[in-house]
Amino acid sequence: MSNEEYLKLIPEKLCEEEINDGLITVLFIKKPSIIEKIFFRNLINKPHKIDLDEIGSFIWGEINKSNSVENIVELTKQHFGEKVEPAENRVVQFMKQMHSTKLIMLYEKQGID
């Protein structure tokens, strides 16, 4: 899928989060492997954590079921300016990573005719 196709999608969060000092930590339960089920039963339902940096925390905060990826790119540019360039590539890459690890779902925008 090209960056242009990603820009039209609407992301939705699929996991919980914690906010510490303005930075977000994403919490998720990973599907355990067979080895983990056998040897690490006590850790199976323990949430895994991903600490986001300032830019990742801002992007995550803009995911709200109505902002398209394109809107989030524009908001990120407005907030960070040159610091985030190339903004489109960075935001799309963030969305790809979050989607591939099943932390967000990406939907096509439903138009009303």
Side-chain angles (χ1 to χ4, degrees), residues 2-57:
S2 70
N3 279 7
E4 291 77 29
E5 292 170 309
Y6 265 96
L7 293 174
K8 304 295 182 217
L9 299 175
I10 308 288
E12 178 185 353
K13 297 173 188 174
L14 297 177
C15 55
E16 300 295 319
E17 65 192 53
E18 291 177 345
I19 301 174
N20 298 312
D21 297 326
L23 298 178
I24 293 177
T25 299
V26 178
L27 308 170
F28 66 100
I29 304 293
K30 186 177 101 175
K31 184 177 178 182
S33 68
I34 293 172
I35 300 294
E36 289 170 327
K37 287 179 183 178
I38 295 170
F39 294 107
F40 303 105
R41 288 185 188 150
N42 58 334
L43 300 177
I44 287 178
N45 290 324
K46 184 176 181 183
H48 293 270
K49 297 180 179 186
I50 298 176
D51 295 321
L52 301 178
D53 64 5
E54 179 184 16
I55 295 170
S57 293

Side-chain angles (χ1 to χ4, degrees), residues 1-11 68-74 77 84-97 106-107:
M1 185 179 290
S2 70
N3 279 7
E4 291 77 29
E5 292 170 309
Y6 265 96
L7 293 174
K8 304 295 182 217
L9 299 175
I10 308 288
S68 68
V69 174
E70 187 171 31
N71 291 345
I72 295 171
V73 168
E74 291 306 315
K77 282 182 187 178
V84 75
E85 291 300 335
E88 182 179 304
N89 289 341
R90 290 180 79 169
V91 172
V92 169
Q93 188 62 32
F94 179 86
M95 295 297 174
K96 286 179 180 180
Q97 289 175 335
L106 293 166
Y107 298 100

